[in-house]
Amino acid sequence: MPDGGTLTVSTTVRYISGHPEVDDGEYVEIAVGDTGAGMDETTLRRAMEPFFTTKPVGKGTGLGLAQIYGSARQAGGTVHIDSTLGQGTTVRVLMPCTDEEPNDPVQAVTPVDIAGTGSIKILLVDDDQDVRSMIASALECQGHYVTQAENGNAALVALQENVPDIAIIDFAMPGMNGAELAKCIEARWPGLPILFASGFADTDAVKQAVGNRAKILRKPFRVDELLMAIHRLGTFA
């Protein structure tokens, strides 16, 4: 919504039948709608393709909707988009309802659980400025020191000036991708812990390029998941 507008988030329960992707039954619908620019038919048809984006290089990876669609399909749901050019877009995520109780309830790890383990220096490399700023702000709120880099070359310059305790690297970046940057880091600063914070569609590519030693945190993630991933690398030991 470049000129402003209204963002509406809503939920409802719907009965779905005859859908080509999901079984008949009740689904929770989570809808996020805007009154922004909308999409034409060509863009709408490709909106959930991995790496498809209408943004210029360095301003987006095209993985956001693809990740949401992949996560929904894994859970037995799906995603539908309604959009009209010049009027806005609504993304509807459909997730199957269940009455079952979780077999092994997950105990949430809150940031305070590991916030007292000491401050560390973190190099954060991501070409998306909004994502980079959000992650940096969350880490700085926990008392850590964050150096930001928008690409691989900027990251190497920052490393020469000050070696951090850990590097958090995006994979899909213009120019030098995350795997290429990791190889440079391993050659010049062996032993520096590296955490890939990357999209669902990147996982296989990261492992192919770097091997099983790659530590991957899939986007999107919560702050507590990020802190726990850092903790598991042994940085707080």
Side-chain angles (χ1 to χ4, degrees):
M1 296 184 287
D3 301 319
T6 302
L7 183 69
T8 303
V9 181
S10 62
T11 61
T12 189
V13 176
R14 294 176 53 189
Y15 184 85
I16 304 294
S17 63
H19 194 283
E21 289 189 315
V22 298
D23 297 333
D24 294 356
E26 285 194 332
Y27 290 79
V28 173
E29 178 188 277
I30 306 166
V32 181
D34 66 41
T35 56
M39 292 181 270
D40 58 32
E41 290 185 8
T42 301
T43 302
L44 182 58
R45 281 197 299 270
R46 301 190 62 192
M48 287 186 286
E49 292 181 12
F51 302 108
F52 173 76
T53 179
T54 57
K55 297 178 181 179
V57 174
K59 297 300 182 181
T61 62
L63 287 172
L65 284 172
Q67 290 178 71
I68 293 170
Y69 178 73
S71 297
R73 294 296 294 131
Q74 282 186 321
T78 190
V79 178
H80 182 73
I81 304 175
D82 297 314
S83 187
T84 302
L85 194 62
Q87 296 183 22
T89 299
T90 299
V91 179
R92 306 180 190 277
V93 182
L94 295 168
M95 302 292 278
C97 295
T98 179
D99 294 326
E100 294 182 15
E101 293 294 329
N103 293 327
D104 185 18
V106 176
Q107 298 298 319
V109 179
T110 59
V112 71
D113 289 331
I114 56 179
T117 52
S119 298
I120 61 172
K121 296 182 295 182
I122 299 170
L123 173 62
L124 174 62
V125 190
D126 197 306
D127 62 303
D128 189 314
Q129 182 177 349
D130 292 335
V131 172
R132 198 171 65 243
S133 297
M134 181 275 293
I135 296 174
S137 177
L139 291 171
E140 288 169 346
C141 283
Q142 296 300 317
H144 306 306
Y145 305 98
V146 181
T147 299
Q148 300 184 42
E150 62 183 8
N151 54 47
N153 289 328
L156 292 175
V157 171
L159 280 161
Q160 290 172 348
E161 295 175 353
N162 190 1
V163 180
D165 298 303
I166 183 175
I168 301 174
I169 303 174
D170 186 26
F171 180 77
M173 296 186 291
M176 184 186 304
N177 67 32
E180 292 167 337
L181 174 59
K183 288 180 180 179
C184 289
I185 291 174
E186 289 177 355
R188 301 185 194 182
W189 298 275
L192 177 64
I194 295 175
L195 174 65
F196 287 96
S198 201
F200 176 82
D202 295 339
T203 303
D204 289 340
V206 172
K207 289 183 177 177
Q208 252 185 358
V210 185
N212 291 329
R213 67 187 181 281
K215 304 300 181 184
I216 304 170
L217 179 63
R218 290 176 177 174
K219 294 177 180 176
F221 50 79
R222 302 188 307 270
V223 174
D224 60 323
E225 293 174 325
L226 172 62
L227 293 174
M228 180 52 70
I230 294 173
H231 181 69
R232 286 173 177 163
L233 282 177
T235 304
F236 290 99

